Structure formats: C-alpha cells, structure tokens
Amino acid sequence: MAGYLITDNKKITTKRFAELKQNGEKIAMLTAYDFTTATIIDQAGVDCVLIGDSASNVMCGNQTTLPITLDQMIYHARCVSNGVKRALVLCDMPFGSYQSSREEGIRNAVRIMKEGLVDAVKIEGGVEYLDTIKGILDAGIPVCGHLGLTPQSVHKFGGYGLRAKEKAEAEKLLSDAKALDQAGCFAIVLEKVPANLAEQVTKVVSCPTIGIGAGSATDGQVLVYADMLGLTQGFKPKFLRIYADLATQITDAVGDYVRDVKDVKYPSEEESY
C-alpha cells in the first residue's frame, strides 16, 4: 500500500499547524530517531516527525526516558533532520535540560535548534515551566507543550497510568493548557488523559492539540513508530493500534539470510564478481 496522497509538498511549519486546525484537518505525527526511518516516514505523508525522548527506550533500551542526555538527543535530531524534507521536525527537550533554570532551558533549546537542525522543541509540564517556555519563545524558538502523562515525571506519578481522572488534576491541566496557549505554544501534546477532558482542552485553546491515549477529538495524533509498526515486543497499551508486524517480518528475513549463508546459497554466481 502506498503512503498517504500528499497534495502539497511545501515544508510544514508551525503556521501550517495552525491552519490545519482552522481547516479541521487532523495532524498526523510519528516519532523517528534515525535518518533512514525518518526519510520513509516523511515520504509516507506525516505532518510532523518527533524526535521523542522515547529514544531512551526504543534506541537505548532504558526503562524510562530519564537517562537520555542532551547530546544524545541532538545526535538523533540531526540524523532525523537530514532525512526529512516536508514534515515539521520537533525535538523533545530531555530530562534535566530545562528544569534547573530559565537560562539553562533557553541555552539548551538553542543548542537543539542549532546542532539538531530541528524546527521546534517540546517541553513537558505546565505553569511550573512557563517562565522558561516564554524565554525560549522570546529567543525565536517555537515550543510545543506536553501535558497529562509526562513520562519524565514517572517517578513522581508512580507509574504510567491515566492522568487527570480526578477533578483537581483535570482543572489544573485545563488551566495549564490555557496558560501554554496564551504564552504562544504552537501545539500541545495531551498524553493518556480522559477523552472528554482532551476534547474540552481542544475547544478552549487556539493552538492544535495532539493526542496519545486521549481520544479522537484532539486536533491530531502521535505514536511511537516502533510501537505502531509492531517492532516493540510485549507493549500493547489500550490506545495503541499496530499497523504492521515488522518484528516477525524482520526475524523471518534474517533467518532466511542466515540459512542461505550457512547453506552456501548466498551469494549466488549472479551475485558474485
């Protein structure tokens, strides 16, 4: 099956994000961490490629997103940026790169933009980091917010469960979303929150909302590419739809290669010089 039919090959910008919401067109976002995958995903028609700090899990094998460093994120961002022509390229600011101070957050966001060649950065958290977010925006760097389940706070939350189920947390999330929107964030990711709350947020903010485990009323959706392509073994949260079984296909292909090498069936005479 071919990729989504792209009718406009112009580079997607944060301005285009706003237009997509205004026009009622959903935004499709996927993660990528390397040149080859990013090239394929971009050509298939996604609107945004996210270099998520989920690279800590997918690429490094860590149990959480916390261990990945700023230098590692910049490395992955540069690889992805080299492969993307059309989609907006968005990079997570990793744990520890903006929590200490406004100045450090601005400095590290500038590094990600300059060295990673990305179009924007994403920051987890609400009003607690509003001053830093404003500083990054004032430096000319587009910012995407991230509310609900914020994986960098997994130890504070005590797990990866549904967030904002209770009234107080739901009200804070709504207030945080309004503050991020008013500050100038070009989009807000809503992760693992009740669908009705995500719908409410989407209606009250002017910027697009991107959901992951937040129902269908958000302005767009994001998934980790390795999860939706069936590469991640034993991971099947309720919100995940698996579009391919690449783990089985790769295992079978590698097995065929090993067998052919062992049986001296590869390379053939035609494949030899």
Side-chain angles (χ1 to χ4, degrees), residues 30-43:
L30 281 175
T31 67
Y33 318 104
D34 66 272
F35 170 82
T36 303
T37 304
T39 301
I40 294 169
I41 287 174
D42 184 47
Q43 291 173 349

Side-chain angles (χ1 to χ4, degrees), residues 165-187:
K165 293 179 291 184
E166 307 300 329
K167 182 179 179 181
E169 188 177 350
E171 289 178 346
K172 183 182 186 310
L173 188 146
L174 187 59
S175 175
D176 283 342
K178 290 178 180 177
L180 293 178
D181 184 42
Q182 291 169 3
C185 286
F186 77 91

Side-chain angles (χ1 to χ4, degrees), residues 147-219:
L147 300 172
L149 174 61
T150 47
Q152 292 178 16
S153 302
V154 60
H155 296 305
K156 174 184 175 183
F157 292 151
Y160 294 98
L162 185 71
R163 303 307 309 171
K165 293 179 291 184
E166 307 300 329
K167 182 179 179 181
E169 188 177 350
E171 289 178 346
K172 183 182 186 310
L173 188 146
L174 187 59
S175 175
D176 283 342
K178 290 178 180 177
L180 293 178
D181 184 42
Q182 291 169 3
C185 286
F186 77 91
I188 301 171
V189 169
L190 300 174
E191 181 169 358
K192 219 165 182 184
V193 298
N196 59 351
L197 176 60
E199 182 175 10
Q200 186 179 359
V201 171
T202 302
K203 288 179 178 177
V204 300
V205 298
S206 60
C207 69
T209 58
I210 309 296
I212 176 167
S216 61
T218 52
D219 298 304

Side-chain angles (χ1 to χ4, degrees), residues 8 11-21 23 25:
D8 184 357
K11 172 72 177 177
I12 293 180
T13 63
T14 55
K15 180 182 178 182
R16 178 64 178 148
F17 255 55
E19 292 170 352
L20 288 171
K21 173 162 184 162
N23 296 336
E25 182 179 344

